Amino acid sequence: AQTVTQSQPEMSVQEAETVTLSCTYDTSENNYYLFWYKQPPSRQMILVIRQEAYKQQNATENRFSVNFQKAAKSFSLKISDSQLGDTAMYFCAFMRNDMRFGAGTRLTVKP
Amino acid sequence: KAGVTQTPRYLIKTRGQQVTLSCSPISGHRSVSWYQQTPGQGLQFLFEYFSETQRNKGNFPGRFSGRQFSNSRSEMNVSTLELGDSALYLCASSLEQGSDTQYFGPGTRLTVL
């Protein structure tokens, strides 16, 4: 069974700085998809970024980028120029047939 | 396009009752997945429906069931409610089944007393 591990339950970063959230996963599959979702306090889950396992190039979306290491089964999220609105719970997710989520990392951006 | 909508947003039930939650996907999306979110267990996959058929099912007891209608709207039902069923129930829709990006609704917060 696929498992997703986020080893950092909580993190904080100063506004305008860069932070990296870690995620590892376990699978024997070769083709799959990885996602980062964010869930702001009392608000709904929003897609941050998506990565297809067959693509070697790391996905980027504006200030958000990933470091995808397929052999190491690692999928970290880098947030550059952190903003107060980035404060949220961040979930790493693995999809093959269904979506499996990590436990989440609570990120606080401090002014 | 309107996003995924879920009704009701909040529910309070007592043990032993049953409950039905509704999810309307983004227009054109044919796949609907349901998740349970609790502080202790995190986000857990319940089931996925595509073209009115259940395609995948998570590890939940048979008290949890669902269905999908021809317009892709989905409902999930929980019978004989237990205190441990208190959770945020999230619905997500995607264009196709399996590999597609899922877009989440705001959730239904169920409290079982």
Side-chain angles (χ1 to χ4, degrees), chain A residues 72-111:
Chain A
K73 296 179 184 175
S74 171
F75 184 61
S76 61
L77 174 70
K78 185 171 84 171
I79 306 174
S80 303
D81 186 25
S82 296
Q83 300 176 0
L84 296 178
D86 295 333
T87 291
M89 198 76 173
Y90 285 80
F91 293 96
C92 176
F94 171 101
M95 171 177 269
R96 167 67 178 172
N97 294 310
D98 56 65
M99 188 97 79
R100 302 295 171 112
F101 288 88
T105 296
R106 186 177 303 279
L107 176 68
T108 302
V109 180
K110 298 180 178 179

Side-chain angles (χ1 to χ4, degrees), chain B residues 11-30:
Chain B
L11 263 180
I12 300 176
K13 293 285 187 179
T14 56
R15 278 183 299 175
Q17 287 187 309
Q18 76 163 16
V19 67
T20 299
L21 312 181
S22 181
C23 172
S24 292
I26 292 171
S27 178
H29 284 195
R30 299 195 294 161

Side-chain angles (χ1 to χ4, degrees), chain B:
Chain B
K1 274 187 184 177
V4 178
T5 58
Q6 293 187 243
T7 56
R9 294 292 309 279
Y10 302 92
L11 263 180
I12 300 176
K13 293 285 187 179
T14 56
R15 278 183 299 175
Q17 287 187 309
Q18 76 163 16
V19 67
T20 299
L21 312 181
S22 181
C23 172
S24 292
I26 292 171
S27 178
H29 284 195
R30 299 195 294 161
S31 176
V32 173
S33 297
W34 288 89
Y35 299 87
Q36 182 195 65
Q37 186 176 23
T38 60
Q41 299 297 317
L43 277 153
Q44 293 185 285
F45 170 72
L46 279 156
F47 28 66
E48 179 188 15
Y49 285 87
F50 180 77
S51 293
E52 303 178 64
T53 303
Q54 187 180 90
R55 302 292 177 154
N56 284 302
K57 189 177 191 309
N59 189 26
F60 277 82
R63 300 185 297 106
F64 292 80
S65 63
R67 60 178 174 168
Q68 187 180 34
F69 302 94
S70 58
N71 62 357
S72 295
R73 190 177 70 85
S74 177
E75 289 181 346
M76 68 163 279
N77 183 277
V78 188
S79 61
T80 318
L81 284 165
E82 301 177 358
L83 296 179
D85 297 333
S86 294
L88 181 66
Y89 289 89
L90 294 171
C91 163
S93 77
S94 59
L95 274 169
E96 299 293 337
Q97 177 203 354
S99 62
D100 209 0
T101 300
Q102 295 186 4
Y103 297 89
F104 284 80
T108 294
R109 183 159 301 280
L110 172 65
T111 302
V112 182
L113 303 175

Side-chain angles (χ1 to χ4, degrees), chain A residues 13-83:
Chain A
V13 63
Q14 291 296 132
E15 196 175 7
E17 292 188 346
T18 295
V19 64
T20 299
L21 309 184
S22 301
C23 173
T24 58
Y25 57 94
D26 183 27
T27 185
S28 58
E29 302 288 348
N30 191 47
N31 295 318
Y32 48 87
Y33 298 81
L34 295 163
F35 303 86
W36 279 97
Y37 283 91
K38 83 182 239 190
Q39 189 176 38
S42 302
R43 295 181 64 185
Q44 67 192 75
M45 195 94 74
I46 303 165
L47 174 70
V48 176
I49 203 162
R50 163 192 163 116
Q51 174 81 43
E52 293 89 346
Y54 63 84
K55 288 186 178 179
Q56 291 187 334
Q57 187 172 6
N58 290 324
T60 63
E61 282 290 341
N62 301 313
R63 297 183 295 108
F64 299 89
S65 61
V66 297
N67 183 3
F68 173 48
Q69 302 289 329
K70 190 172 184 179
K73 296 179 184 175
S74 171
F75 184 61
S76 61
L77 174 70
K78 185 171 84 171
I79 306 174
S80 303
D81 186 25
S82 296
Q83 300 176 0

